[in-house]
Each structure stands twice: as C-alpha cells, then as structure tokens.
Amino acid sequence: MECVVQCDLSEWSPWGPCMKKNKTCGFKKGNQTRTREPLQLPSPATSTGAAPPSGCVPETQTQRCTVQKKIPCKGPPIYIFQTRDLL
C-alpha cells in the first residue's frame, strides 16, 4: 500500500511585475508569475530522504502580460563631448 502525503499550500501570491529577461523596462510584452508555498512541511518521521515529497513543493504559475506604455530602461548617463579646433 502506497502512503500518500498531503500538503496544504498557501493562497496564490499576487501577480509579480511584468518582466522580460529579468528586466521590468524596455519591452511591451513579457511574463509575470505568482506562487503558492507549502504551509507546513511533513514531519521528518513521515518523510524519507532530504527532498520534500513531490506533493509538497511550491507551485508557480506564469502568464503573458502587456505593459500599458513601453518604459525605457535608464542606464548610466551618456556624456557627449564636443570639441572645437583651437587655432
């Protein structure tokens, strides 16, 4: 007989920011994620091995998102030098 371990998960977290390549600027479409975490891990007496049972791991959802206005990325300042000939 197989022992089934049940694990209670939290409610879904709020959706994270719209991101693309770990940035929140410089794009129009990206992805956002949310997670559910285990509320209580099984006790060591009911669990075998170092890893939590397969039914007791955080869950992640990802969805596509679109930003209302493309936000430019701000980088270090760019300096433009003008030179003039001294004669």
Side-chain angles (χ1 to χ4, degrees), residues 20-79:
K20 185 173 185 178
K21 296 182 181 177
N22 290 327
K23 292 185 179 180
T24 58
C25 59
F27 62 90
K28 183 85 172 149
K29 294 181 183 274
N31 292 309
Q32 59 187 158
T33 59
R34 66 182 185 171
T35 58
R36 292 174 69 173
E37 299 291 333
L39 293 174
Q40 182 176 359
L41 293 175
S43 68
T46 61
S47 174
T48 58
S54 61
C56 199
V57 294
E59 292 182 6
T60 302
Q61 283 185 338
T62 302
Q63 71 178 8
R64 298 283 294 157
C65 55
T66 302
V67 291
Q68 297 297 323
K69 182 178 179 184
K70 185 175 177 180
I71 303 169
C73 293
K74 294 179 182 176
I78 299 173
Y79 297 99

